[in-house]
Amino acid sequence: MFADRARIIIRSGKGGDGHVSFRRELYVPAGGPDGGDGGKGGDVIFQVDEGMNTLSDYRHRRKYAAQDGQEGGKRRCHGANGADIVLKVPEGTVIFEAESGQVIADMSGENRRQVVLKGGRGGNGNMHYATSTMQAPKYAQPGQPAQELEVRLELKMIADVGLVGFPNVGKSTFLSRVTNAQPKIANYHFTTLTPNLGVVDLEGGGFVIADIPGLIEGASQGVGLGHEFLRHIERTRVIIHLVDAASTEGRDPVEDIYTINRELELYNPEIASRPQVIAANKIDALYPGDEDPVERLRREFEPKGVKVFAISAVSGQGVKELLYHVKGMLEQTQEEKVFFKQEYFPEDHLIQEQLPFTVSKSQEEENTYVIEGPKIEKMLGYTNLESEKGFLFFQRFLKETGILEELENLGIQEGDTVRMYGFDFDYYK
């Protein structure tokens, strides 16, 4: 089954926690702190795989996670870094943040490999926090938390030319004649449920053409498989509009073109404005004596700057002239491929770095709790706790860092004492 969309959850590795330990050696009874740093968590990386052409691998598994970093060890030992996870995707895959729909990465052109989620940084061991006033710190920095994100993957095919038209107008037959593609061909509506890519070889250079499966009225609103198919035309520079000139199914070819163009306009006006050429197909099925539908198409569209070619995808009549005209159109259009710019930056949504601190119940005094940590010590140094504004600022800091929550988890009661670097406070909710 062809799969051009998938929705998955990705998670980077958590950074390893810093370690708390102290040097213990013979003849060194009071060795200093020697807790090592935690390892970095693994990244989530997307990489283009030339051998892939669908996203079907991501239909059967939802969650992908990089490895967590290891905790630091004694004797200043650094924890091992977590392994990255590399997710391979076909060229042309666009990665969106699932909730907002914003673009995270476009895996096409020169962008072959991109780190989408960075692993958490490892925490510092307690050896980093020794000061003249705190020579035996009992705290270390936790590793940065993992990042988790739900993303939507969409494959938007890379092609110079998009082939559009109603179902059963002969697109698959046309593609099989002009390229090396081998699409399934049958006389049923929506036979082609898979966008097909093929390379047209011409003297002086060719181009890539994509058969966009049959569009129907209402496709821009998602009727039928409209949205799934229309996304594949977003990167094309020129559009070949194939129409059944012989009206073998009783439809009016002029009205067909207007209908499909309306759908393109509704889906994305910028796509509808791209250079277009009309291929009036099935001229081998025209009966002599009837009004010439090709001339009618020319009278209607050529004054508007849209060239009409009479072709037969079955016999090959008129096909070469059409292809050389399209090649000329491509040479006149900008060669720059359509690229989706990044709109969502996961690093902007990082959880704030956790601060190292310890909250413990005093062993010597009843109903007393002791809080230690480098940031707390520093903040007490520059905060004026005598002023109401300064005290409120410090209270807010304790709440935002999770220290108050830790105290409540330890069972602190109103009226109990909280001690921090020579300051004693009474606890009240």
Side-chain angles (χ1 to χ4, degrees), residues 414-427:
E414 289 205 4
D416 288 351
T417 301
V418 177
R419 182 166 296 153
M420 296 179 238
Y421 295 96
F423 290 91
D424 284 358
F425 305 93
D426 290 334
Y427 176 80

Side-chain angles (χ1 to χ4, degrees), residues 158-388:
I158 308 289
D160 301 302
V161 178
L163 191 60
V164 302
F166 266 83
N168 206 31
V169 295
K171 294 194 304 300
S172 296
T173 306
F174 177 80
L175 191 75
S176 65
R177 171 165 286 279
V178 302
T179 75
N180 54 1
Q182 297 180 329
K184 293 178 181 177
I185 300 168
N187 189 28
Y188 301 112
H189 282 182
F190 273 97
T191 298
T192 308
L193 295 179
T194 305
N196 291 297
L197 274 183
V199 179
V200 176
D201 289 320
L202 297 172
E203 287 180 26
F207 53 85
V208 179
I209 188 168
D211 162 25
I212 311 302
L215 298 178
I216 58 174
E217 197 163 2
S220 58
Q221 278 78 47
V223 174
L225 297 175
H227 277 157
E228 282 79 352
F229 295 160
L230 280 164
R231 75 167 55 86
H232 291 297
I233 208 169
E234 292 189 43
R235 295 193 194 268
T236 58
R237 289 153 54 203
V238 170
I239 295 170
I240 297 177
H241 200 139
L242 210 67
V243 67
D244 179 1
S247 302
T248 56
E249 298 202 342
R251 289 196 313 269
D252 179 6
V254 172
E255 187 53 40
D256 276 6
I257 290 169
Y258 280 124
T259 300
I260 296 297
N261 282 344
R262 272 197 301 273
E263 294 305 319
L264 294 177
E265 177 77 29
L266 288 167
Y267 179 73
N268 187 335
E270 196 272 323
I271 294 172
S273 67
R274 288 183 195 161
Q276 193 172 124
V277 61
I278 294 170
N281 192 26
K282 303 190 181 182
I283 57 170
D284 53 292
L286 292 175
Y287 292 101
D290 292 347
E291 181 195 4
D292 186 353
V294 177
E295 284 306 313
R296 182 170 161 242
L297 285 164
R298 284 177 176 146
R299 286 196 304 272
E300 183 71 26
F301 294 103
E302 289 197 343
K304 298 174 182 177
V306 181
K307 185 92 171 154
V308 177
F309 286 84
I311 70 160
S312 169
V314 172
S315 69
Q317 184 181 344
V319 169
K320 186 179 282 189
E321 292 82 353
L322 168 67
L323 295 177
Y324 275 103
H325 178 75
V326 170
K327 184 173 181 289
M329 292 172 73
L330 286 169
E331 287 168 356
Q332 290 171 18
T333 61
Q334 201 174 13
E335 284 191 27
E336 190 180 331
K337 299 279 188 185
V338 176
F339 188 81
F340 296 87
K341 289 183 180 177
Q342 186 168 4
E343 302 165 325
Y344 185 94
F345 297 85
E347 57 270 23
D348 292 347
H349 301 264
L350 261 173
I351 300 167
Q352 287 298 311
E353 184 177 344
Q354 292 175 281
L355 301 167
F357 61 82
T358 57
V359 180
S360 58
K361 209 166 183 178
S362 173
Q363 302 295 319
E364 293 83 26
E365 297 177 62
E366 202 176 340
N367 303 326
T368 299
Y369 295 80
V370 180
I371 300 172
E372 293 179 346
K375 188 86 172 183
I376 297 159
E377 185 180 14
K378 188 176 178 183
M379 184 164 279
L380 283 167
Y382 64 69
T383 304
N384 181 9
L385 298 176
E386 300 297 322
S387 75
E388 185 181 356

Side-chain angles (χ1 to χ4, degrees), residues 396-414:
R396 191 165 63 249
F397 165 77
L398 295 178
K399 185 177 180 181
E400 288 174 355
T401 52
I403 290 173
L404 292 184
E405 188 180 348
E406 243 351 273
L407 286 167
E408 288 171 9
N409 291 339
L410 288 173
I412 195 168
Q413 301 295 319
E414 289 205 4

Side-chain angles (χ1 to χ4, degrees), residues 3-8 55 58-59 62 151-154:
D4 63 358
R5 279 196 305 177
R7 208 174 168 108
I8 60 172
L55 294 168
Y58 299 99
R59 284 291 182 92
R62 277 271 290 161
V151 296
R152 193 176 80 247
L153 309 179
E154 286 190 9

Side-chain angles (χ1 to χ4, degrees), residues 8-226:
I8 60 172
I9 294 167
I10 54 176
R11 177 188 174 277
S12 63
K14 175 192 176 299
D17 294 338
H19 191 69
V20 176
S21 61
F22 298 91
R23 192 172 157 214
R24 292 287 178 264
E25 293 178 33
L26 196 62
Y27 310 118
V28 189
D34 70 350
D37 301 342
K40 176 186 172 297
D43 299 335
V44 178
I45 302 168
F46 280 83
Q47 181 174 304
V48 171
D49 184 338
E50 306 290 348
M52 291 178 70
N53 54 19
T54 81
L55 294 168
S56 56
D57 289 356
Y58 299 99
R59 284 291 182 92
H60 310 295
R61 183 176 158 195
R62 277 271 290 161
K63 294 190 175 181
Y64 297 84
Q67 196 176 40
D68 293 341
Q70 286 187 2
E71 183 185 350
K74 297 177 181 178
R75 298 181 182 176
R76 301 178 177 248
C77 287
H78 196 290
N81 293 337
D84 299 334
I85 185 170
V86 179
L87 303 178
K88 294 184 177 180
V89 292
E91 184 176 6
T93 300
V94 183
I95 304 162
F96 297 90
E97 196 277 321
E99 190 175 338
S100 66
Q102 292 179 311
V103 175
I104 298 173
D106 184 349
M107 305 305 296
S108 61
E110 294 180 2
N111 189 27
R112 318 306 285 178
R113 183 182 172 94
Q114 182 166 334
V115 176
V116 170
L117 287 185
K118 290 182 179 176
R121 192 172 62 244
N124 290 329
N126 70 331
M127 63 179 180
H128 292 278
Y129 297 114
T131 65
S132 57
T133 56
M134 174 55 64
Q135 295 183 7
K138 297 175 185 173
Y139 43 77
Q141 186 181 33
Q144 272 189 333
Q147 288 180 271
E148 188 170 282
L149 197 61
E150 185 173 17
V151 296
R152 193 176 80 247
L153 309 179
E154 286 190 9
L155 176 56
K156 297 176 187 286
M157 302 179 79
I158 308 289
D160 301 302
V161 178
L163 191 60
V164 302
F166 266 83
N168 206 31
V169 295
K171 294 194 304 300
S172 296
T173 306
F174 177 80
L175 191 75
S176 65
R177 171 165 286 279
V178 302
T179 75
N180 54 1
Q182 297 180 329
K184 293 178 181 177
I185 300 168
N187 189 28
Y188 301 112
H189 282 182
F190 273 97
T191 298
T192 308
L193 295 179
T194 305
N196 291 297
L197 274 183
V199 179
V200 176
D201 289 320
L202 297 172
E203 287 180 26
F207 53 85
V208 179
I209 188 168
D211 162 25
I212 311 302
L215 298 178
I216 58 174
E217 197 163 2
S220 58
Q221 278 78 47
V223 174
L225 297 175

